[in-house]
Amino acid sequence: MSYTQAIQFVQNNGNPIEQARLSYLLFDQPASPSIIAEFCSLQNQDGSWSPFWAEKYSSLDATCFHLAQAYQLGVGKSEAAIAKAFTFIAHHQKSNGSWEEEQSGGEMAPPWAKPGELSAKLYLTANCGYWLAISRSYQENARKAALFLANNLNHSGQLPSFLQTHWLAIGIWRYTGLAQQAEQTTRYLATRLRDFSANNLTWMISVLWSVQVPVNHPFIIEAVARLLSLQQSNGQWQSDDGPEYDVHTTLEALFALKLCERI
């Protein structure tokens, strides 16, 4: 493992926001006001962000993604843009505790955001519910989301949804006290770990760390070992989304490794 090469890869190839994320990672230095303004400049009036697949569409998934980026810039929950994002998410929760993208974006939506599909509904519920849970201001919303997910869990700890749904669901269940469901699904994920990409591993590690899964837990130790094995010879980690996202994935890997006390 070469931290120096990974850092140099980001320094040589990252955009200003990515450089600011690196500074926060290395020195706990929050982004400057100008960087925060640039980050927030694409936020919609309703508090959402638009996804790559639909310009000017208010997306739940894209908003969750930007909340994750805000955390890595040192942007606090009291920042007006972040508070608006939480409000947007909470406002769109359905009475049964779930979330789903609006039909207006349905034709363009990728599988994980497709309206009318249970797999997408479970993923968005896990993602939105997780962020409201860790905000600590929407606990009733998180509880309803946790129960909706639990009602769709089978005896082997698997949800009829994407891999990402599972670790996000673990996050909500640990926050809301559904320890049995969290443990079942952790055991299921352990059977899939060899299939995980760097994108999967970094996201999962950061979620589990945020809900106080110990860094010396055997599952986390194995996940970190898998992540380290995926580093490329030039220091980077490859993104599932193409070379243009390799800096992002490398940053995610560095953050995950720092959380696990490996940096």
Side-chain angles (χ1 to χ4, degrees):
M1 165 64 192
S2 173
Y3 304 117
T4 303
Q5 279 188 295
I7 290 166
Q8 187 172 20
F9 176 78
V10 175
Q11 290 174 332
N12 291 343
N13 298 281
N15 61 36
I17 289 178
E18 289 166 335
Q19 301 288 357
R21 287 169 60 193
L22 182 64
S23 292
Y24 185 62
L25 163 71
L26 295 177
F27 309 115
D28 291 324
Q29 178 181 327
S32 67
S34 63
I35 290 293
I36 294 175
E38 180 183 350
F39 173 78
C40 295
S41 65
L42 296 178
Q43 188 178 30
N44 298 318
Q45 287 296 317
D46 61 4
S48 71
W49 273 268
S50 297
F52 68 89
W53 44 268
E55 187 179 355
K56 298 182 180 178
Y57 171 72
S58 295
S59 167
L60 293 163
D61 185 45
T63 302
C64 291
F65 174 82
H66 279 80
L67 285 173
Q69 302 310 294
Y71 171 77
Q72 293 186 7
L73 287 167
V75 181
K77 297 172 186 175
S78 60
E79 181 75 29
I82 304 308
K84 284 179 66 177
F86 284 132
T87 299
F88 167 80
I89 292 172
H91 178 73
H92 284 79
Q93 188 177 28
K94 299 184 183 299
S95 59
N96 66 356
S98 70
W99 278 268
E100 195 169 26
E101 297 283 11
E102 299 291 341
Q103 288 291 338
S104 60
E107 290 185 5
M108 300 167 286
W112 64 87
K114 202 76 171 176
E117 297 289 337
L118 178 60
S119 57
K121 182 181 291 188
L122 290 169
Y123 163 70
L124 287 170
T125 300
N127 205 1
C128 293
Y130 166 76
W131 280 106
L132 291 188
I134 66 172
S135 78
R136 300 185 182 277
S137 299
Y138 295 91
Q139 296 307 296
E140 180 59 21
N141 300 75
R143 187 190 69 82
K144 290 172 65 176
L147 292 174
F148 179 82
L149 291 164
N151 287 336
N152 286 275
L153 187 68
N154 70 20
H155 68 278
S156 66
Q158 187 174 5
L159 291 159
S161 185
F162 308 98
L163 201 57
Q164 296 87 338
T165 307
H166 294 79
W167 57 74
L168 291 164
I170 292 170
I172 302 174
W173 290 331
R174 286 183 64 91
Y175 259 108
T176 56
L178 298 183
Q180 181 180 347
Q181 290 85 344
E183 182 58 32
Q184 276 184 289
T185 302
T186 300
R187 289 197 297 268
Y188 165 70
L189 286 180
T191 69
R192 300 287 308 275
L193 201 54
R194 292 183 181 180
D195 302 326
F196 280 26
S197 66
N199 293 67
N200 298 151
L201 292 161
T202 58
W203 191 357
M204 183 187 69
I205 289 168
S206 66
V207 168
L208 297 186
W209 177 88
S210 75
V211 294
Q212 300 180 338
V213 176
V215 297
N216 62 353
H217 189 291
F219 180 60
I220 298 297
I221 291 172
E222 190 176 352
V224 169
R226 167 73 179 160
L227 179 60
L228 291 172
S229 74
L230 294 174
Q231 188 181 26
Q232 304 296 298
S233 59
N234 67 347
Q236 73 178 81
W237 277 266
Q238 289 185 334
S239 172
D240 296 341
D241 302 313
E244 64 269 31
Y245 295 100
D246 285 350
V247 171
H248 167 76
T249 300
T250 301
L251 276 166
E252 295 284 330
L254 288 169
F255 268 96
L257 292 168
K258 183 180 182 182
L259 296 176
C260 292
E261 301 171 7
R262 299 298 293 267
I263 296 180

